[in-house]
Amino acid sequence: MSAPPWTIVARDDDGAVLVTVDGRGAEQARRRVALAELPSALGDDVRPVWNDTAQWYPALLDAGMTLARCRDLRLSHAILRDSALVDAPPLRAATAWDAGPSTVSGAPSPALFELDELAPGIPDRVDEVLAEFARQQAAVDGSRDPGRLRLLLAAESAGALVAAELHAAGVPWDRGVHEAILTDVLGGRPGPGSHAPRAEELATRIRELLGDPQASLDSQPKLLRALHRVGVLASSTSRWELAEHDHPVVAPLLEYKRLTRLESANGWNWLDEWAGGGRFRPVYVPGGVVTGRWASSGGGALQLPRQLRPAVRADEGWLLVVADVAQLEPRVLAAMSGDLALADAARGTDLYQGIVASGVVGTRQEAKIAVLGAMYGGTTGDSGRLVPALRRAYPRAMALVDEAARVGEEGGVVSTWLGRSAPPPPASWHRVQQRAADPDADDADRARAVRAARDRGRFTRNFVVQGTAAEWALAWLADLRGRLAALPVVPEDRRAPLSGVALGGRAHLAFFLHDEIVLHAPEEQAELAAQAVRDAADAATRLLFGTFPVDFPLDLRISRDAGKALLE
DNA sequence: AATACAAGCGCG
DNA sequence: AAAGCGCGCTTGTATT
């Protein structure tokens, strides 16, 4: 199987320029095409190299085209600029390629083909794009581990394709189910200037218990003062702190907060704005998190309350394949540290139970607290008490995160398995450290420096694990979309109503959140799609960790909706 | 009136 | 029950 050619895709004053190049960026052929001709001019077996997937791919999707792979230079630049695998990189100087993420617009339209629709900042002229590609290829070729970086850039770029496809396809969203949940919990839609009926009833009771019929419950300072007046001496109005006080007002107040949260964050207004048309189309931002995780923008895609998952509901004649990886991060840690004992504990479907079975700690809950403490840098409470047991049982795994923390505390740089490095600490961090080292420094200066160092250490400790887990997930997605593209297209009358989008004819990705995915699949393809999900997970594990004996078991189910209830 | 910030809470 | 990491969004308040 030969790799497809690289094709630089860039703009000129009234169209696109396509340049076929070799792996070093040397030009082999060039042609100009009108933007409207781009889908047919590109064809299927091509690997575009472009400045920014979010600027090009939505229009191709609109035209009914999908791509197998690409190279996103903006995302790749960010990786190579910071990667510790790249020596003295010419990419480190600040340039227009450092532009922040542009996002796929919420209003896909032919306007995306128009020249003035470009987000400002990211270079798009052919000379600049060619030059950047050549710089990046040279940086990879001259790096300490070209193989890993090529994998990472390919995965990151495939992720950019997935993000655009996810937005185009959307999550099938059942308005009726969502409204039924809201009505059941809140009692009905709130009128202007008031809360929903159940929240208002609670508010009345709470004000009685506070002895103040005018008490404001939505203003933290006012609520806190009212609580103090009845003897609840909390220092904040946060849920966990209120729960520690034994007073009749606490329970209804916590319930009130729960209801008003649902109402404001994912109530009827959210439904109208984001999912009214039967699809929720979050804007995904690949590479939006320093660790390499995706961020999102608009609609709160990363915060969909589990309570509302039943509203994710397949179209008639379609099914959802819902899959998530159990304890992805500790499994990744076992693999990257080569810790056979931890990998052994991870052998079954429940890593925490495996740790208990090895006699490291007594209960599953303790195992969970210990593992999270190990990866997050917990030092106090149960976490601080339990982590040492983990350090004895899994010295290699713990050495990896402990070393990452040590390097971070000293201001150094850490990297993920494939070579994404944490940005170096900012100048302000170094100033704090220097001030503490000054002979005139006082205790406060030194305390501030220690705190900043520890904060940095917890960040780098977690970075290596969270970032490598993100790489596994990207590899999973990238492999999966290739498998899905090989499924047959169903007959016209069986397709999902995705106007102008090539994805509606077969099983496609509909949602992604760090370690879980939802596929939307024609009924007759659901089993095949589910097997593709499993096979892709295995392929991702082999791609990253070769033959190292670690499992990444999936919790997978096929059902009409994404609610957990149908599972049991 | 517009903008910035902090608190609080949803997700992994 | 949070803790220890990473996010986005809404609300109320403070600032300009």
Side-chain angles (χ1 to χ4, degrees):
Chain A
M1 193 176 95
S2 68
W6 297 105
T7 302
I8 303 288
V9 178
R11 296 190 188 250
D12 69 6
D13 286 337
D14 45 15
V17 182
L18 306 184
V19 184
T20 307
V21 294
D22 69 15
R24 289 200 301 275
E27 179 165 348
Q28 294 173 338
R30 176 182 296 224
R31 62 190 167 130
R32 294 199 57 264
V33 299
L35 288 169
E37 305 300 320
L38 195 56
S40 54
L42 276 175
D44 292 331
D45 187 28
V46 72
R47 180 164 43 172
V49 177
W50 48 35
N51 60 349
D52 179 14
T53 304
Q55 289 185 24
W56 293 96
Y57 195 38
L60 299 181
L61 288 169
D62 265 359
M65 183 180 186
T66 55
L67 287 168
R69 40 180 87 73
C70 76
R71 171 71 65 82
D72 184 304
L73 292 177
R74 183 184 66 80
L75 291 168
S76 300
H77 181 95
I79 289 169
L80 296 172
R81 179 193 58 214
D82 291 336
S83 177
L85 295 179
V86 178
D87 289 313
L91 302 166
R92 198 152 290 174
T95 69
W97 290 96
D98 293 304
S102 65
T103 53
V104 175
S105 154
S109 75
L112 286 174
F113 272 142
E114 290 170 11
L115 295 174
D116 57 2
E117 284 294 313
L118 275 181
I122 311 175
D124 64 346
R125 299 290 137 159
V126 66
D127 290 349
E128 296 173 290
V129 178
L130 264 168
E132 174 65 16
F133 180 61
R135 278 193 299 272
Q136 292 192 8
Q137 292 299 83
V140 171
D141 291 342
S143 73
R144 283 183 221 148
D145 197 332
R148 288 195 190 205
L149 283 176
R150 280 191 201 105
L151 262 183
L152 179 53
L153 300 190
E156 185 84 344
S157 298
L161 296 176
V162 172
E165 289 165 1
L166 283 168
H167 178 78
V171 187
W173 196 270
D174 190 313
R175 184 181 184 100
V177 172
H178 187 165
E179 287 183 324
I181 293 168
L182 292 178
T183 302
D184 181 53
V185 175
L186 296 168
R189 188 163 190 164
S194 61
H195 288 300
R198 295 278 177 278
E200 290 292 352
E201 291 160 22
L202 284 163
T204 303
R205 270 180 58 207
I206 292 163
R207 292 192 179 102
E208 283 169 9
L209 290 161
L210 290 171
D212 178 359
Q214 306 299 324
S216 166
L217 307 184
D218 299 325
S219 159
Q220 290 149 13
K222 291 174 186 169
L223 174 60
L224 199 56
R225 283 196 291 274
L227 287 166
H228 286 180
R229 282 195 287 275
V230 296
V232 178
L233 300 179
S235 64
S236 80
T237 63
S238 67
R239 187 180 52 195
W240 63 269
E241 189 169 352
L242 292 178
E244 287 176 347
H245 289 84
D246 185 23
H247 187 283
V249 79
V250 168
L253 186 52
L254 293 181
E255 178 71 357
Y256 174 86
K257 287 163 81 80
R258 193 176 71 85
L259 298 196
T260 52
R261 164 80 192 188
L262 176 64
E263 178 187 283
S264 69
N266 294 100
W268 286 267
N269 291 343
W270 181 92
L271 180 54
D272 288 341
E273 183 174 0
W274 289 101
R279 289 287 189 276
F280 170 39
R281 298 180 191 280
V283 177
Y284 296 91
V285 185
V289 179
V290 278
T291 58
R293 273 187 175 182
W294 292 7
S296 74
S297 162
L302 277 53
Q303 313 146 249
L304 269 188
R306 304 202 73 91
Q307 194 177 13
L308 289 181
R309 300 284 171 97
V312 178
R313 196 155 205 284
D315 291 349
E316 196 65 39
W318 286 57
L319 287 168
L320 302 180
V321 179
V322 184
D324 66 83
V325 195
Q327 303 114 20
L328 173 59
E329 293 190 356
R331 290 171 197 278
V332 159
L333 174 58
M336 64 193 298
S337 64
D339 193 315
L340 288 165
L342 185 55
D344 196 50
R347 192 61 29 80
T349 56
D350 186 348
L351 176 143
Y352 299 135
Q353 204 57 56
I355 291 175
V356 174
S358 308
V360 177
V361 295
T363 67
R364 186 180 187 283
Q365 183 61 17
E366 285 181 328
K368 186 173 180 176
I369 290 169
V371 167
L372 293 180
M375 295 188 305
Y376 294 165
T379 56
T380 62
D382 289 346
S383 181
R385 182 170 59 79
L386 292 163
V387 168
L390 228 51
R391 201 166 271 117
R392 284 190 295 276
Y394 310 114
R396 293 191 65 153
M398 290 303 300
L400 190 144
V401 285
D402 287 345
E403 173 66 6
R406 186 192 66 76
V407 169
E409 287 190 20
E410 293 175 0
V413 164
V414 299
S415 301
T416 61
W417 185 246
L418 293 185
R420 189 190 308 261
S421 299
S428 58
W429 186 91
H430 288 293
R431 279 199 301 275
V432 167
Q433 300 304 321
Q434 278 159 6
R435 196 175 311 144
D438 190 285
D440 298 335
D442 60 18
D443 287 348
D445 290 330
R446 284 186 287 269
R448 193 179 308 116
V450 167
R451 198 180 328 121
R454 296 266 160 80
D455 288 349
R456 177 79 192 171
R458 285 195 304 277
F459 166 68
T460 52
R461 169 188 291 272
N462 185 246
F463 180 94
V464 295
V465 180
Q466 187 183 119
T468 303
E471 286 163 357
W472 186 93
L474 277 178
W476 186 31
L477 287 178
D479 188 88
L480 174 58
R481 70 186 289 282
R483 290 173 194 272
L484 295 178
L487 293 177
V489 173
V490 297
E492 193 88 43
D493 63 349
R494 293 279 303 113
R495 294 179 196 172
L498 297 170
S499 56
V501 171
L503 305 165
R506 57 165 79 92
H508 61 88
L509 279 154
F511 189 68
F512 169 61
L513 180 54
H514 306 320
D515 61 1
E516 62 182 277
I517 58 176
V518 177
L519 304 191
H520 194 214
E523 279 170 353
E524 62 269 33
Q525 280 184 359
E527 285 294 346
L528 278 175
Q531 193 53 44
V533 170
R534 294 187 197 98
D535 293 344
D538 291 340
T541 303
R542 284 198 306 277
L543 187 68
L544 263 69
F545 303 121
T547 58
F548 184 79
V550 63
D551 295 331
F552 289 83
L554 300 181
D555 178 3
L556 184 150
R557 62 194 183 279
I558 298 172
S559 69
R560 193 69 199 286
D561 73 61
K564 270 277 186 189
L566 281 194
L567 176 62
E568 271 81 29

